[in-house]
Amino acid sequence: MSLRIATAPISWGVSEVDGWGVQLPPERVLAEMRSLGFEATELGAQGFLPPAPEDKAARLAEFGMTAIGSFVPVIAHQPGIDPLPRIEQELRDYAASGATVLVVCADSEQTGYDAQREPLTDEQWSTLFTNLDRITAAAAAVGVTATLHPHVGTVVETKDDVDAVLRGSTIPFCFDTGHLFLGGTDPVQFAAEHSDRIAYMHLKDVSLDGMRRVADGEISYFDAIKADVLYRPVGQGDVDIRAILQSLVDAGFDGWIVLEQDKVVLEEPADGTGPIEDARASVEFVRALVAELESSRSGAAR
């Protein structure tokens, strides 16, 4: 398979958000990732791996894993705040850890992902676009691909937000099928129309019923994840995963597909149970589907 499949600690409940359930130890998470055949992962929230980048790489190597990149929230829309020092710090770490993809999230300055933000002013939009392009250039200068992650509860969340970034900035996207879906962007249409802007992928599946409950205010985003009613193992939800991957295969996409199912772990599960069960279902489904799609494409090319 030319499409590269990886994972991320959030699928085991490891999060940068305070109070996000039980944080499982890296030894368990990495061992379970490797047992499923993963060879690469995102670095996870600060504190999950050792602080020194060389030590991060060494810890991953103990489990036969390599680093892809990290999820970095930064405030990029405020004229008085420069996101570059935080980004440059991350990029310095990348040189030692071997990571190659920077996943930028446009922080709304709110706590958690359920708080509502005010609409951006024209000046704030202009500042955001300028900073996203600066981040793209800074990363490219050291051989790293910067991507923007549209995300619930951030500055770039809705379809209008995504469309504004498509028009106003050159930054490639971290194509998160779940967060785009939740924000009102059709991920199938996005994959078909904007494959040239997709450099990296978070592949999620979403329950339409769970999404409606969050949208209607019946349940918060966090509580929906905690109750396990929002995200599903890939292939078991309402996102058309086949159509999305077909578009990427047809476009010759060669970036990472990171399987994600945001989890809140309430207590440490018994060995062999817990998040690994959904992670196993996701990776088995995606491996089989990718193999099928690439085989069909190769056959058609003969």
Side-chain angles (χ1 to χ4, degrees), residues 77 106-110 113-121 124-125 128 151-162:
H77 65 286
D107 195 327
S108 68
E109 302 180 273
Q110 306 294 324
Y113 295 128
D114 284 302
Q116 297 297 309
R117 65 167 173 83
E118 294 296 320
L120 297 193
T121 65
Q124 288 173 325
W125 275 117
L128 176 66
H151 196 292
V152 166
T154 70
V155 166
V156 182
E157 174 181 5
T158 68
K159 184 179 186 304
D160 286 345
D161 299 336
V162 171

Side-chain angles (χ1 to χ4, degrees), residues 33-114:
M33 288 177 175
R34 195 66 186 89
S35 74
L36 297 179
F38 289 112
E39 298 179 355
T41 179
E42 290 188 357
L43 293 169
Q46 288 188 352
F48 175 66
L49 293 174
E54 297 89 347
D55 294 339
K56 285 184 172 69
R59 176 58 60 87
L60 291 175
E62 290 175 19
F63 294 89
M65 303 284 287
T66 57
I68 306 173
S70 56
F71 177 83
V72 184
V74 291
I75 298 168
H77 65 286
Q78 295 291 23
I81 299 176
D82 186 357
L84 260 293
R86 172 70 182 92
I87 294 297
E88 289 168 347
Q89 173 193 347
E90 196 75 14
L91 292 174
R92 286 192 293 271
D93 286 353
Y94 276 29
S97 68
T100 58
V101 182
L102 177 72
V103 181
V104 176
C105 173
D107 195 327
S108 68
E109 302 180 273
Q110 306 294 324
T111 300
Y113 295 128
D114 284 302

Side-chain angles (χ1 to χ4, degrees), residues 2 6 41 61 73 84 92 101 130 169 198 200 238 250 284 288 296:
S2 61
T41 179
L84 260 293
R92 286 192 293 271
V101 182
T130 297
S169 172
I198 299 172
Y200 189 68
D238 295 303
D250 290 347
E284 288 178 352
S296 296

Side-chain angles (χ1 to χ4, degrees), residues 2-3 188 191-196 198 201 241-255 257 289-290 292-301:
S2 61
L3 293 181
V188 174
E193 296 179 356
H194 303 293
S195 61
D196 61 320
I198 299 172
M201 185 178 192
I241 303 297
R242 174 180 288 273
I244 289 168
L245 290 183
Q246 182 72 69
S247 290
L248 294 184
V249 168
D250 290 347
F253 176 79
D254 62 357
I257 296 177
L289 178 56
V290 167
E292 175 191 335
L293 294 176
E294 292 195 331
S295 175
S296 296
R297 185 168 184 262
S298 296

Side-chain angles (χ1 to χ4, degrees), residues 262-300:
D262 293 13
K263 287 281 191 182
V264 174
V265 178
L266 300 178
E267 59 183 19
E268 185 156 352
D271 289 346
T273 67
I276 190 175
E277 296 172 281
D278 282 356
R280 179 183 293 109
S282 291
V283 73
E284 288 178 352
F285 173 83
V286 174
R287 283 175 180 151
L289 178 56
V290 167
E292 175 191 335
L293 294 176
E294 292 195 331
S295 175
S296 296
R297 185 168 184 262
S298 296

Side-chain angles (χ1 to χ4, degrees), residues 136-151:
T136 303
V142 293
V144 172
T145 300
T147 64
L148 175 67
H149 187 328
H151 196 292

